[in-house]
Amino acid sequence: MSYLSLSPKILSSLLAFLIFSLFSCSTFAEIYLSTELKKGLPVPQKTNEFSCTDKIYGVVVDQWPAGSNHLMEAYWTDPQGKQREHTRYNFTARKGKTHTWAWLLLHRAETDILDRLLMQENDSLREFNGQWQVDFYIDGKSIGKLTFQLICG
């Protein structure tokens, strides 16, 4: 019967690497979508269906060393796979949990004068119907993605 033996130096190096990897990654970040604000912070909701007229917040909650500076990015992709928005936000971590967020707010296309004279309905938001995706990054590192449904007219 043979046993694998590791020298104490290799074993301690391996253990240090594993501990460093565990604590250096922001894999415990909470991400969620919301349209509701309470006390100035977006709060989690039980739905992933939103209206095209909603202001949709993509929220990241995590803990970093207090006073450290970071970059949050959010890439918003429509049902056709086209990136519609890219948000970059620099923030400074607070003591304890830090909330940072980006938002998506769609706008109707301007109707031309003929449509207004003929009283045609502006259905420019309908192209946004379907499943969207938002990808979140902190300091260039992917921390997750969420999908949601937009229902437009």
Side-chain angles (χ1 to χ4, degrees):
M1 189 186 250
S2 66
Y3 293 94
L4 177 65
S5 69
L6 298 174
S7 73
K9 187 175 184 178
I10 291 175
L11 188 58
S12 64
S13 296
L14 182 60
L15 185 60
F17 172 76
L18 290 173
I19 290 171
F20 176 77
S21 297
L22 180 66
F23 290 109
S24 67
C25 298
S26 185
T27 57
F28 302 111
E30 176 187 2
I31 57 174
Y32 61 87
L33 299 172
S34 179
T35 58
E36 295 180 24
L37 290 175
K38 287 190 180 163
K39 296 183 181 178
L41 291 176
V43 294
Q45 290 181 260
K46 300 262 189 237
T47 185
N48 70 341
E49 289 186 0
F50 303 101
S51 166
C52 277
T53 57
D54 288 335
K55 186 175 193 177
I56 304 167
Y57 297 92
V59 183
V60 177
V61 182
D62 206 348
Q63 198 163 339
W64 295 274
S68 60
N69 295 312
H70 303 277
L71 171 66
M72 188 271 294
E73 294 180 272
Y75 294 86
W76 303 83
T77 307
D78 73 11
Q80 291 76 37
K82 182 178 179 185
Q83 181 184 311
R84 291 290 183 158
E85 187 71 37
H86 173 211
T87 305
R88 295 174 53 89
Y89 181 69
N90 291 299
F91 67 96
T92 302
R94 299 177 180 196
K95 185 176 180 182
K97 288 186 177 182
T98 299
H99 293 71
T100 188
W101 59 86
W103 65 82
L104 178 70
L105 181 61
L106 301 174
H107 301 280
R108 292 185 185 280
E110 290 295 320
T111 55
D112 62 24
I113 195 119
L114 183 60
D115 283 342
R116 281 186 266 165
L117 289 173
L118 297 173
M119 298 179 68
Q120 297 291 320
E121 182 181 341
N122 183 346
D123 63 352
S124 61
L125 290 178
R126 288 194 184 146
E127 71 177 288
F128 300 128
N129 268 326
Q131 183 170 299
W132 283 64
Q133 178 174 301
V134 58
D135 296 88
F136 296 97
Y137 292 81
I138 298 289
D139 300 328
K141 184 175 185 176
S142 174
I143 59 165
K145 64 180 78 175
L146 296 172
T147 58
F148 60 98
Q149 288 292 122
L150 271 186
I151 301 166
C152 308

